[in-house]
Amino acid sequence: LFCKLSLDQSFKASTYNPAKALKINHKLGLIKKGYIADLLIWNIKELSEIPYMFDNEDRFIKVIKNGNVINWYKGNKMNLNELLKTMVDENASDLHITAGSPPRIRKGGKLIPISNDKLSLEDTKKIIESEISETNKDKLLNGTEVDYSISVPGVSRFRVNVFNQRGNFAAAYRRLPYEIPSIDSLGLPQSVIDLTSRRKGLILITGTTGSGKSTTLASIIYKLTQELEGHIITIEDPIEYLYPHSKAQVNQREVGVDTESFASGLKSAL
């Protein structure tokens, strides 16, 4: 049995079955609550015993056998930051939370469970409400779905959609890159790139979910911030990318937070 954990101390771990008790003493890295523990298991018959080896630890345990992920186990608690960090560490695009199902991440177009345990109504409510404003919570309680964004320092930014299903909360978290891609890296036609030189008009960017609308728009705005000596105002629902002040001054307004609606935000900008 070989264990590789994010711990900065020697420790002992054993299963609940004294006959198969395992003791592990190993000097390992920095202990930080919420870090992912990677376990490489070679000769364990009862994998169900593994979670108990780390009782009272709030972390996820990824069990790997012969180089393949066998399963994920959760510690005594789940929290949103742990789930989002797991999603980023696994290079997944989305995290889905709903009662009666384990947390799932979207990777390679497939939804993959990251725990053996199904979320209870209380678990789901607690996870979602840990990062939501009172205003959005009131909207949910009135039956309205909400969109907003959150940032986890050192992890990533995320676009969030929370909705009601069967009278309970459910949510989808989509990972957003911190850095805005250069418009030249997107493979866009030169005619599209040249639109940034126009000073009047209306540009519509349309497409299906995941087709790159937000990324295309963000790269266009970012190019403008580097070239336009003027004032850029965005009205977003929610704010996804953060634009730095450069040649242009940029003010970003989020519907429901900084302005009542797209209409009122646009009227104010004019």
Side-chain angles (χ1 to χ4, degrees):
L1 177 69
F2 171 74
C3 292
K4 182 179 68 175
L5 298 173
S6 299
L7 303 173
D8 188 22
Q9 63 178 26
S10 296
F11 69 98
K12 291 182 179 180
S14 65
T15 69
Y16 282 165
N17 187 334
K20 297 180 180 179
L22 300 172
K23 292 185 178 180
I24 306 169
N25 289 276
H26 195 67
K27 189 73 176 176
L28 304 159
L30 179 65
I31 187 166
K32 281 191 178 180
K33 193 174 183 179
Y35 266 36
I36 301 301
D38 293 328
L39 282 151
L40 284 77
I41 309 297
W42 301 99
N43 296 305
I44 301 297
K45 294 181 180 179
E46 300 295 334
L47 288 175
S48 60
E49 296 174 353
I50 299 304
Y52 303 118
M53 293 167 57
F54 304 95
D55 200 20
N56 299 321
E57 293 289 350
D58 295 339
R59 59 165 49 85
F60 285 88
I61 302 169
K62 181 170 64 176
V63 179
I64 303 176
K65 187 175 183 182
N66 298 329
N68 297 316
V69 174
I70 294 175
N71 225 322
W72 290 82
Y73 296 94
K74 76 178 182 69
N76 289 339
K77 299 178 183 177
M78 289 193 193
N79 67 60
L80 182 58
N81 282 6
E82 286 179 351
L83 293 167
L84 293 174
K85 186 177 186 303
T86 300
M87 179 178 109
V88 172
D89 287 345
E90 289 299 305
N91 198 28
S93 61
D94 300 88
L95 167 70
H96 293 266
I97 300 294
T98 191
S101 169
R104 298 170 187 260
I105 56 175
R106 184 177 297 279
K107 189 174 181 180
K110 298 179 180 179
L111 283 181
I112 304 169
I114 56 173
S115 172
N116 269 0
D117 299 305
K118 296 179 180 179
L119 292 169
S120 66
L121 296 178
E122 183 181 352
D123 290 334
T124 305
K125 189 170 183 288
K126 184 177 179 181
I127 289 170
I128 293 173
E129 289 186 349
S130 67
E131 288 285 354
I132 191 171
S133 68
E134 289 299 321
T135 300
N136 282 332
K137 191 187 299 184
D138 290 341
K139 290 180 180 179
L140 280 172
L141 293 174
N142 290 326
T144 304
E145 63 274 6
V146 295
D147 294 288
Y148 55 98
S149 60
I150 60 174
S151 180
V152 180
V155 180
S156 189
R157 282 178 52 79
F158 302 89
R159 181 174 63 205
V160 187
N161 174 248
V162 184
F163 53 94
N164 288 281
Q165 67 92 25
R166 300 187 198 174
N168 303 308
F169 293 168
Y173 298 80
R174 170 155 291 187
R175 180 184 177 187
L176 300 171
Y178 272 122
E179 294 188 6
I180 302 169
S182 164
I183 195 169
D184 296 323
S185 69
L186 300 182
L188 297 174
Q190 188 60 43
S191 58
V192 174
I193 298 176
D194 290 344
L195 291 174
T196 60
S197 63
R198 303 292 181 90
R199 292 295 174 262
K200 293 182 180 180
L202 174 67
I203 300 173
L204 299 178
I205 300 176
T206 65
T208 58
T209 300
S211 61
K213 299 184 299 297
S214 296
T215 304
T216 301
L217 181 58
S219 66
I220 289 175
I221 293 174
Y222 183 68
K223 188 173 188 293
L224 286 172
T225 67
Q226 308 298 306
E227 300 174 354
L228 177 67
E229 293 179 325
H231 185 196
I232 296 174
I233 299 176
T234 70
I235 305 168
E236 306 176 57
D237 186 17
I239 290 175
E240 297 185 9
Y241 293 89
L242 301 180
Y243 305 103
H245 299 297
S246 186
K247 276 193 174 182
Q249 183 184 70
V250 185
N251 285 309
Q252 295 179 252
R253 308 190 68 195
E254 183 167 314
V255 173
V257 178
D258 306 306
T259 185
E260 182 180 350
S261 64
F262 281 108
S264 61
L266 182 58
K267 182 179 179 180
S268 173
L270 297 176

